[in-house]
Amino acid sequence: MVASRIEIQGKKETSYRKLVRPRLMDELKDGILEQLVVKKKYRDCNYTAQQLAKDLQTNVRYISAVVRVQFHTNYSTFVNRYRVEEAMSILTDQRYSERTIEEVGDMVGFAHRQSFHTAFLKHVGMTPNAYRSQYEVQLSFAKAKK
């Protein structure tokens, strides 16, 4: 099952590689990183692959191809990874300790609480609440040790 899945994924990646010329793929990769990471457009829950394609003056099929080949994932998972990483930072930042889990999800671009929990669990292996609690326990332990 896993071997056939990898084989299918490899074929998909190969067909995507043929879709976009190498130079254009590099340019689009840089553009995707600029828009999503540097400009932090992942924080906008309405920022879609269609909008990204429009910003980069290309089409959604090319965006999908570049994300698949260069980042080995799909657009939603790619964007959610950055959202979750920022949420992890916020959840452990004392300045945001009064923020609810739902507010943190909103801050990083998740439109719905359930999608935030699902993505967080997928990327981190625990819920946002469990992550925050674990950090608070570690922080308390470190303070008690001093």
Side-chain angles (χ1 to χ4, degrees):
M1 177 80 165
V2 173
S4 64
R5 192 168 168 197
I6 291 169
E7 186 177 311
I8 290 169
Q9 188 173 338
K11 286 180 183 177
K12 221 185 239 188
E13 193 170 297
T14 301
S15 65
Y16 279 135
R17 280 186 195 281
K18 292 176 184 174
L19 180 66
V20 184
R21 294 183 324 273
R23 185 169 154 216
L24 178 59
M25 186 162 301
D26 289 341
E27 290 171 9
L28 289 175
K29 177 185 177 184
D30 292 343
I32 290 167
L33 291 172
E34 172 73 21
Q35 294 297 315
L36 291 174
V37 181
V38 175
K39 293 184 178 180
K40 296 187 184 290
K41 290 194 176 183
Y42 63 83
R43 289 179 177 166
D44 178 356
C45 65
N46 297 313
Y47 195 71
T48 62
Q50 289 83 6
Q51 184 60 49
L52 176 59
K54 184 178 175 187
D55 289 348
L56 297 178
Q57 299 175 337
T58 189
N59 63 57
V60 176
R61 195 160 176 209
Y62 280 17
I63 295 296
S64 295
V66 172
V67 171
R68 170 71 62 195
V69 172
Q70 296 294 321
F71 304 107
H72 311 288
T73 190
N74 61 44
Y75 179 80
S76 295
T77 302
F78 181 71
V79 170
N80 286 343
R81 183 182 324 140
Y82 287 101
R83 291 174 174 162
V84 168
E85 286 175 7
E86 185 170 3
M88 291 169 66
S89 294
I90 292 170
L91 290 167
T92 58
D93 188 326
Q94 293 302 306
R95 295 175 294 177
Y96 300 104
S97 62
E98 298 300 316
R99 297 282 182 138
T100 66
I101 299 298
E102 192 169 278
E103 288 173 324
V104 172
D106 289 342
M107 289 170 65
V108 299
F110 285 99
H112 305 286
R113 184 179 64 82
Q114 188 57 46
S115 58
F116 176 42
H117 280 260
T118 301
F120 199 95
L121 186 61
K122 177 182 177 181
H123 290 281
V124 182
M126 63 178 75
T127 65
N129 199 29
Y131 183 80
R132 178 183 264 172
S133 296
Q134 180 184 32
Y135 175 78
E136 289 170 353
V137 167
Q138 290 173 347
L139 188 61
S140 296
F141 181 74
K143 285 181 181 179
K145 237 179 159 181
K146 287 182 180 182

